[in-house]
Amino acid sequence: MDTGSPRLRPGVRLTHDHVRDTDMVLLPEGVLVLNETAAAVLGLCDGRRTVAQITDVLRERYDGVRAEDVTELLADLAERRVVSLGDRQGAGLDDPAGVRPDD
């Protein structure tokens, strides 16, 4: 996963609920309330940054960031279909043919 460039999947939106003062992900099938760490990671998932670059940015902002934790969180979010773990050209690793659905 170190060379992948995670991005939010089509139909997924990162937002902040001002009433509850919490970050969340809006999914086609529901809502996922995020903790501060997950929100920080997802905020960096733009499809251009690699996992290593995301980890580096987080290390600049926070103490004690471990690459293993970032990788594990992204794997969990990919399993929940929140992020796509694409390669540097943007083709999805979860799609062996490398064909991306239209955004």
Side-chain angles (χ1 to χ4, degrees):
M1 187 186 306
D2 287 339
T3 60
S5 299
R7 62 181 165 75
L8 295 178
R9 293 182 63 86
V12 174
R13 190 168 57 115
L14 181 62
T15 189
H16 184 80
D17 182 338
H18 295 286
V19 174
R20 294 180 183 91
D21 193 28
T22 189
D23 293 306
M24 58 182 56
V25 172
L26 302 177
L27 304 158
E29 61 274 1
V31 175
L32 180 63
V33 177
L34 304 172
N35 64 24
E36 182 180 345
T37 303
V41 171
L42 284 177
L44 297 170
C45 292
D46 58 9
R48 295 185 306 266
R49 292 181 180 101
T50 65
V51 175
Q53 290 169 326
I54 290 170
T55 302
D56 289 343
V57 171
L58 292 170
R59 284 181 175 150
E60 292 173 8
R61 295 181 186 172
Y62 306 100
D63 292 329
V65 173
R66 297 180 334 141
E68 300 82 19
D69 294 336
V70 175
T71 301
E72 183 178 318
L73 175 61
L74 286 169
D76 181 52
L77 292 168
E79 187 175 309
R80 293 174 182 236
R81 303 188 55 79
V82 173
V83 295
S84 174
L85 304 175
D87 65 22
R88 284 184 164 273
Q89 287 74 39
L93 292 178
D94 47 354
D95 181 355
V99 177
R100 285 191 339 186
D102 293 333
D103 289 334

